[in-house]
Amino acid sequence: MDNEIARLKGALIEAQRVAVLTGAGISAESGVPTFRGEGGLWRKYRSQELATPEAFAANPGLAWEFYNWRRSLINDVEYNPAHKALAELEEKVPRFTLISQNVDGLHLRAGSKNLLEIHGNIWKVRCTRCGKIAVDFTPDLGTSPRCKDCKGLLRPHVVWFGENLDHDILQAALDASMKCDVMLVIGTSAMVQPSASFPVEAKSKGALVAEINIESTPLSSYADITLLGKAGDIVPRLVDNWH
Ligand code: BV8
Ligand code: ZN
C-alpha cells in the first residue's frame, strides 16, 4: 500500500489536470449511509424505486418523507478528512475538477470549489410547476412543500433514476474526464451510469486511474492503482507533506 500511495502521490504532483469522481463511500465516515452497503439506504426505503419520477408522481408524500429523513440526517453530520483533503488537493494542482455523485453537499461544506454535483443537491428544491430552483436548508420541509412564487409542488433538485443529467454538467464532467492526467475514483460501487463510464473515458485517453475503496468493484480490474481502505485514511495521505 505504501509504495502504491507514493506512486500515486508522485503522479498527482506531476499532473497538470486532476479529476476526481466520488460516490457515497466518501461520506460513509461522516455517518451518511451508503446506498448498497449493509443497512444501506436503499434497503431501508426500497429507494431504488423511490428515487424515480414515477414514485414521486404516485406518492409525493412518501418521497418527501424519504428526502426529509436524509436531509435531517445529513444536517447533523460533518464533512470528514477525505472531503477536506480533496479541498486541499484542489489548491495544489493546476487544474482540478471534482465530479460527485453525492447529493449531500459535504464537498461544498469542506471547501471544494470546482465541483460538479452531477446528481444534484439535496438542499436544493425545484418547483414542478414554474421550475424555480432554490436552496433551502430547513431539514424537514413537510410532505407537500409549495413554491413561494406559484404555489406549485416542490421536488428535490436531484437526478432520479431514468432522468437525464443536466446537459452542461454532464459535458463538463466528460470533458474533465477526457482531459485529465490522473483520475481518482473514491467510494463508488461504479454501478450507476453515466458516472461509471467517466473513469473508462479517462483511461481511454491515457489518464492514470486510481481507485480508493474498502472493497473491489467492477472498476478495480481496470484501474492502474487500487488502494483498499477507508477514504478518510487514504485520501489525506495523498495530500499531506506535498513535495
Ligand atoms: C440516465 C440522486 C439516461 C438521487 C442518484 C436499466 C433500466 C433503467 C435505467 C438504467 C438501466 N441500466 C442503466 C440505467 C441507467 C441508470 C442506472 O445506471 N441504473 C443502475 C442502477 C443500473 N442511470 C440513470 O437513470 C441516470 N440517468 O442514465 O439518463 C436515461 C434516461 C432514461 C432511461 C435510461 C437512461 C441517472 C442516475 C442518477 C440516479 N440518482 N442519486 C438520490 O440520491 O436520492 S444515484 C445514487 O446512487 C447516488 O447518487 C449514487 O450515484 C448511486 C449510489 O452509488 P454510489 O455512490 O457508488 O454508492 P454505493 O452505496 O453504491 O457504493 C458505495 C461505495 O463506497 C461502495 O463501493 C463501498 O465499498 C464504498 N465505501 C463504503 N465505505 C467506504 C467506501 N469507500 C471508501 N471509504 C469508505 N469509508
Ligand atoms: Zn413555482
Side-chain angles (χ1 to χ4, degrees):
M1 166 77 88
D2 289 355
N3 50 18
E4 290 286 61
I5 287 187
R7 183 171 151 228
L8 177 53
K9 194 167 172 177
L12 287 168
I13 290 171
E14 292 303 310
Q16 285 306 308
R17 299 186 64 144
V18 171
V20 180
L21 173 67
T22 61
I26 199 168
S27 296
E29 290 158 83
S30 294
V32 183
T34 61
F35 291 80
R36 293 173 181 81
E38 63 299 325
L41 210 49
W42 299 122
R43 218 186 306 288
K44 201 172 286 170
Y45 273 90
R46 305 179 323 284
S47 326
Q48 195 115 342
E49 297 88 69
L50 261 183
T52 67
E54 294 77 17
F56 185 77
N59 189 344
L62 178 61
W64 270 114
E65 263 179 52
F66 173 47
Y67 282 92
N68 286 327
W69 173 70
R70 288 171 70 191
R71 289 164 64 99
S72 303
L73 185 145
I74 292 164
N75 188 52
D76 295 341
V77 304
E78 288 302 320
Y79 60 80
N80 66 55
H83 295 107
K84 191 73 198 131
L86 289 182
E88 288 160 5
L89 181 61
E90 179 167 9
E91 300 307 312
K92 295 176 186 300
V93 303
R95 302 282 299 273
F96 182 92
T97 306
L98 175 51
I99 305 162
S100 188
Q101 301 174 87
N102 301 337
V103 299
D104 59 32
L106 292 179
H107 285 304
L108 286 170
R109 278 203 246 159
S112 288
K113 295 187 183 57
N114 193 11
L115 168 66
L116 299 170
E117 292 184 308
I118 58 170
H119 292 160
N121 184 308
I122 203 165
W123 297 113
K124 290 182 181 171
V125 289
R126 184 169 84 234
C127 178
T128 57
R129 183 181 298 160
C130 72
K132 182 171 171 247
I133 295 170
V135 177
D136 186 332
F137 288 109
T138 316
D140 186 334
L141 292 172
T143 53
S144 174
R146 294 282 155 178
C147 172
K148 288 188 176 52
D149 295 0
C150 77
K151 300 283 172 277
L153 178 63
L154 297 177
R155 61 163 278 177
H157 184 55
V158 300
V159 179
W160 282 326
F161 287 102
E163 291 190 315
N164 286 310
L165 279 64
D166 173 279
H167 178 267
D168 297 342
I169 292 175
L170 178 55
Q171 283 311 309
L174 278 171
D175 188 58
S177 303
M178 315 258 269
K179 291 181 179 163
C180 67
D181 305 307
V182 177
M183 175 175 265
L184 304 181
V185 184
I186 307 171
T188 182
S189 58
M191 311 242 288
V192 171
Q193 293 299 343
S195 325
S197 55
F198 298 150
V200 178
E201 291 295 334
K203 188 145 169 73
S204 73
K205 293 285 189 283
L208 181 137
V209 174
E211 181 181 46
I212 296 165
N213 201 309
I214 54 171
E215 63 187 14
S216 60
T217 72
L219 188 68
S220 303
S221 55
Y222 206 81
D224 300 290
I225 297 175
T226 295
L227 302 173
L228 279 182
K230 290 185 171 182
D233 296 338
I234 294 177
V235 185
R237 290 180 60 187
L238 297 175
V239 186
D240 291 344
N241 29 49
W242 180 273
H243 47 71

